């Protein structure tokens, strides 16, 4: 291939023909750059940047500062990307001739004295992957506390830039620079006039991938607007979770609705006081339910009034005897527990008197009712009214909801700190809270238990409507006494006492109530029995303090 000789080759050849020395003429010395003329009260900068083969960006900035006090520049080293992260840059090898520089984690602060100054530094983190290209980005000027009359800048890269973008003006603005282009020597040239104080000049260019190592650094930051953003994809996810939650509660309502329907359906007649073949009045509770069991089936928990009603029932059935004293009551063992008693009734008998002959009501504080609760829960399951212990069912869902809520809180924190999916975690946490609140509605009763709930309502109606006159006089005391524990646990003790106010306790041939001593006056009993029931509940629920005196608790005798 023929190549046209250059001027140096021709000069050497001519010198050889003429017998002159074959030396090239020395290059003329470059004249010093003329002083930069700037407007009064403004500065001018000339920036020369070069992208090195290792991916660093070396920058030399020549600054002209007017007479007066020093000027300052803040160089941001952390810039928001708009995706919940910050683009982080670092400066090394920073030197200032004519001022000083302080480099911090988030910004570098430059101070320049009046006159001419030179600022040299190296930028790390300016090269980022951009698909099949690499993007080089840096703020070549900006953050000055004085207006900038002129910015002249150039940037040289190992590869020819594919495209360049130059923005000038207020931070965050999209106004283009006045002049920027790619020169013949692969350099990017920028010229901008008239930047106000605080305004900046950002330059970014793209080069072929692999030109230099990428070194962009990002750090995740917490941005509520980004972390909890509602995008179409997140909306679909939230809708799916909402449908799942609604479906779960629908299933719950389907099973719980069985109980609701059984409870709200008009109860059929429940006759507990019936006349036997020999003409005597007998008592028969629906499904053989006992007073303490009624309360547990009705509200799915063991309350103090359930225990108090059991105590009265044990007295009515001649296992205990209750005697009224001045300001107190005495509970006396009448018969030992036998095979006719249920386990929870034995537990109540043991808690009250145990191996002792008698106990004062005021001495019951601090008794452990855990055996009674355990036995009662076991009884309602054994009788087929619950599929499993209601407290275990309720606690299972409560703790499950609490655990789900806690997991949702942790998931919210994790997702919010790492991306825009924080709302998913919030939805999980709210689902857990809803499950905890719905734990009380968890279906624990069986179909048999649901039917019994309706029969309990029928029992309450029967106690309200039964006529005393329909009961033989000799049987009234027994009917009154056998029904009283049920009336107590159902919150009907007051009306039941009123109904039998005219009862003659001696009609059976024995003075007073056969299970309650110290009075044969039903008027007196009507006044003292509610006080006894309330004091019994308070004593059973009280804990003995350090001084030995009982600590009272709220009375739980209330209608169910």
């Amino acid at each position: 291939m023929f190549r046209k000789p250059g001027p140096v080759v021709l000069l050497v050849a001519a010198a050889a023909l003429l017998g002159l020395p074959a030396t090239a003429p020395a290059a003329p010395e470059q004249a010093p750059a003329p002083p930069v003329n700037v407007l009064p009260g403004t500065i001018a900068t000339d920036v020369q940047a070069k992208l090195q083969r290792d991916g660093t960006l070396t920058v030399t900035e020549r600054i002209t500062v007017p007479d007066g006090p020093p000027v300052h520049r803040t160089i941001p080293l952390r810039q928001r990307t708009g995706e919940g992260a910050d683009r982080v840059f670092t400066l090394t090898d920073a030197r200032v001739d004519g001022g000083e520089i302080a480099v911090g984690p988030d910004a570098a602060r430059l101070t320049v004295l009046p006159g001419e100054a030179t600022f040299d530094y190296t930028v790390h983190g300016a090269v980022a992957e951009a698909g099949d290209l690499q993007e080089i980005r840096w703020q070549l000027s900006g953050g000055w506390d004085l207006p900038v009359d002129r910015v002249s800048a150039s940037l040289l890269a190992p590869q020819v830039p594919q495209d360049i973008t130059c923005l000038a003006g207020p931070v965050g603005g999209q106004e283009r620079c006045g002049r920027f282009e790619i020169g013949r020597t692969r350099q990017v040239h920028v010229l901008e006039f008239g930047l106000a104080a605080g305004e900046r000049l950002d330059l970014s260019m793209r080069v072929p991938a692999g030109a230099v190592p990428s070194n962009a650094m990002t750090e995740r930051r917490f941005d509520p607007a980004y972390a909890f953003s509602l995008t179409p994809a997140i909306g679909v996810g939230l809708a799916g979770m909402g449908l799942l939650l609604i479906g779960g509660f629908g299933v719950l309502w389907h099973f719980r609705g069985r109980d609701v329907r059984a409870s709200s359906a008009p109860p059929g007649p429940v006759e507990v006081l019936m006349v036997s073949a020999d003409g005597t009045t007998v008592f028969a509770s629906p499904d053989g339910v006992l007073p303490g069991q009624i309360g547990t089936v009705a509200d799915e928990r063991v309350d103090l009034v359930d225990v108090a009603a059991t105590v009265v029932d044990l007295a009515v059935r001649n296992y205990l005897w209750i005697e009224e004293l001045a300001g107190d009551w005495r509970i006396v063992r009448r018969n030992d527990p036998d095979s006719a008693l249920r386990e929870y009734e034995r537990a109540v008998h043991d808690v009250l008197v145990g191996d002792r002959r008698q106990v004062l009501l005021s001495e019951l504080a601090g008794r452990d009712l855990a055996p009674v609760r355990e036995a009662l829960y076991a009884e309602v399951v054994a009788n087929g009214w619950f599929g499993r212990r209601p407290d275990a069912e309720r606690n299972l869902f409560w703790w499950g909801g609490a655990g789900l809520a806690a997991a949702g809180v942790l998931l919210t924190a994790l997702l919010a700190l790492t991306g825009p999916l924080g709302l998913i975690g919030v939805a999980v946490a709210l689902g857990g809270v809803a499950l905890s609140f719905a734990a009380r509605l968890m279906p624990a009763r069986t179909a048999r238990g649901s039917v019994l709930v309706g029969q309990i309502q029928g029992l309450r109606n029967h106690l309200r409507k039964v006529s005393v006159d329909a009961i033989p006089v000799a049987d009234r005391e027994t009917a009154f006494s056998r029904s009283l524990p049920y009336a107590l646990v159902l919150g009907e003790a007051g009306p039941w006492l009123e109904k039998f106010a005219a009862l003659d306790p001696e009609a059976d041939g024995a003075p007073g109530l056969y299970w309650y001593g110290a009075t044969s006056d039903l008027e007196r009993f009507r006044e003292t029995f509610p006080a006894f029931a309330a004091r019994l509940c308070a004593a059973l629920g009280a804990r003995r303090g350090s001084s030995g005196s009982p600590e009272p608790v709220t009375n739980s005798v209330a209608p169910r």
Side-chain angles (χ1 to χ4, degrees):
M1 171 186 277
F2 174 79
R3 177 177 292 176
K4 183 178 179 180
V8 175
V9 176
L10 295 177
L11 180 60
V12 172
L17 292 175
L18 297 175
L20 298 175
T23 58
E29 295 183 359
Q30 292 185 353
V36 178
N37 295 321
V38 298
L39 295 175
T42 64
I43 62 176
T45 65
D46 177 73
V47 184
Q48 295 181 358
K50 182 177 181 181
L51 182 63
Q52 304 294 334
R53 293 286 182 180
D54 62 357
T56 59
L57 186 67
T58 56
V59 182
T60 298
E61 185 173 357
R62 294 179 176 84
I63 309 160
T64 303
V65 179
D67 293 335
V71 297
H72 304 87
R73 178 189 176 190
T74 299
I75 306 171
L77 300 180
R78 184 181 293 270
Q79 300 176 8
R80 293 194 171 187
T81 64
E83 298 180 352
D86 289 338
R87 179 82 175 269
V88 180
F89 304 88
T90 59
L91 295 188
T92 60
D93 303 325
R95 301 181 301 275
V96 183
D97 182 11
E100 59 183 16
I101 179 71
V103 180
D106 298 328
R109 290 171 175 80
L110 176 65
T111 300
V112 182
L113 302 174
E116 302 287 333
T118 302
F119 177 31
D120 297 291
Y121 59 94
T122 300
V123 183
H124 302 263
V127 183
E129 296 292 335
D132 57 351
L133 298 172
Q134 288 180 307
E135 182 184 50
I136 296 89
R137 172 184 171 189
W138 181 240
Q139 187 180 102
L140 293 176
S141 183
W144 292 101
D145 59 359
L146 279 183
V148 180
D149 177 51
R150 186 187 71 185
V151 178
S152 173
S154 65
L155 194 155
L156 178 64
Q159 297 286 342
V160 178
Q162 301 296 305
D163 71 292
I164 56 175
T165 300
C166 183
L167 302 177
V171 176
Q174 297 298 314
E175 184 179 349
R176 299 272 181 156
C177 299
R179 178 181 175 184
F180 57 100
E181 60 186 3
I182 301 175
R184 296 181 179 179
T185 59
R186 302 182 307 193
Q187 279 187 313
V188 176
H189 296 282
V190 178
L191 186 62
E192 179 68 22
F193 293 94
L195 291 177
E199 294 185 341
R200 94 304 186 204
L201 186 148
D202 283 332
L203 178 66
S204 67
M205 68 178 187
R206 297 191 177 191
V207 298
V212 296
S214 297
N215 55 13
M217 296 174 289
T218 58
E219 289 184 3
R220 184 65 57 184
R221 58 178 166 79
F222 178 68
D223 182 359
Y226 174 73
F228 298 97
S229 57
L230 183 60
T231 63
I234 295 175
V236 171
L238 292 176
M241 294 182 65
L243 291 175
L244 183 63
L245 184 63
I246 293 173
F249 279 105
V251 173
L252 169 63
W253 184 255
H254 170 74
F255 287 102
R256 181 64 183 179
R258 178 194 63 201
D259 289 339
V260 171
R261 288 189 294 272
S263 300
S264 60
V270 177
E271 299 289 339
V272 294
L273 297 176
M274 297 177 290
V275 179
S276 64
D278 59 0
T280 59
T281 302
V282 296
F283 180 89
S285 63
D287 205 6
V289 66
L290 297 171
Q293 296 170 337
I294 276 187
T296 306
V297 173
D299 61 9
E300 302 179 356
R301 67 178 68 245
V302 177
D303 296 317
L304 293 176
V305 68
D306 302 334
V307 182
T310 301
V311 172
V312 175
D313 190 51
L314 289 175
V316 169
R317 289 156 59 193
N318 288 318
Y319 289 96
L320 300 173
W321 189 64
I322 301 171
E323 181 182 9
E324 182 180 342
L325 305 176
D328 205 345
W329 283 264
R330 179 187 292 121
I331 301 175
V332 181
R333 174 204 296 266
R334 175 171 281 183
N335 289 298
D336 293 334
D338 54 27
S339 60
L341 293 185
R342 303 291 180 87
E343 287 299 323
Y344 86 91
E345 293 177 311
R346 290 173 175 269
V348 172
H349 192 283
D350 291 342
V351 165
L352 258 64
V353 293
D355 296 332
R356 290 167 296 180
R357 176 64 183 168
Q358 61 184 21
V359 65
L360 293 177
L361 185 60
S362 57
E363 298 173 346
L364 294 179
R367 300 299 172 92
D368 182 14
L369 296 182
V372 177
R373 295 191 189 94
E374 294 294 319
L376 248 178
Y377 283 132
E379 283 281 343
V380 295
V381 173
N383 287 336
W385 296 319
F386 290 89
R388 58 182 298 175
R389 287 179 47 151
D391 61 326
E393 185 93 359
R394 188 166 47 247
N395 291 340
L396 173 65
F397 283 96
W398 190 92
W399 283 110
L404 184 62
V409 171
L410 294 177
L411 184 63
T412 299
L414 178 62
L415 295 178
L417 292 175
T418 58
L421 303 178
L423 288 177
I424 299 296
V426 172
V428 173
L430 291 178
V433 172
L435 182 60
S436 294
F437 277 103
R440 183 63 184 84
L441 301 177
M442 291 301 115
R445 296 188 190 94
T446 62
R448 181 178 177 181
S450 298
V451 171
L452 180 58
V453 171
Q455 292 175 332
I456 290 172
Q457 181 60 42
L459 171 59
R460 176 184 285 111
N461 293 340
H462 176 72
L463 294 176
R464 291 173 178 175
K465 296 178 180 178
V466 65
S467 173
V468 177
D469 295 335
I471 304 173
V473 175
D475 297 335
R476 288 178 185 177
E477 181 180 344
T478 301
F480 166 76
S481 299
R482 288 299 309 276
S483 302
L484 182 59
Y486 292 87
L488 175 62
V489 80
L490 292 175
E492 298 290 332
W496 189 250
L497 291 170
E498 289 288 344
K499 182 173 294 191
F500 283 85
L503 172 67
D504 181 8
E506 298 183 2
D508 60 354
L513 293 175
Y514 67 91
W515 57 272
Y516 190 94
T519 180
S520 59
D521 183 4
L522 259 294
E523 285 293 331
R524 168 71 177 169
F525 179 78
R526 186 179 62 179
E527 296 175 358
T528 59
F529 180 79
F532 165 76
R535 288 277 300 277
L536 178 59
C537 287
L540 292 172
R543 293 175 302 191
R544 188 164 297 279
S546 58
S547 62
S549 59
E551 298 175 357
V553 297
T554 303
N555 182 19
S556 61
V557 179
R560 294 181 183 271

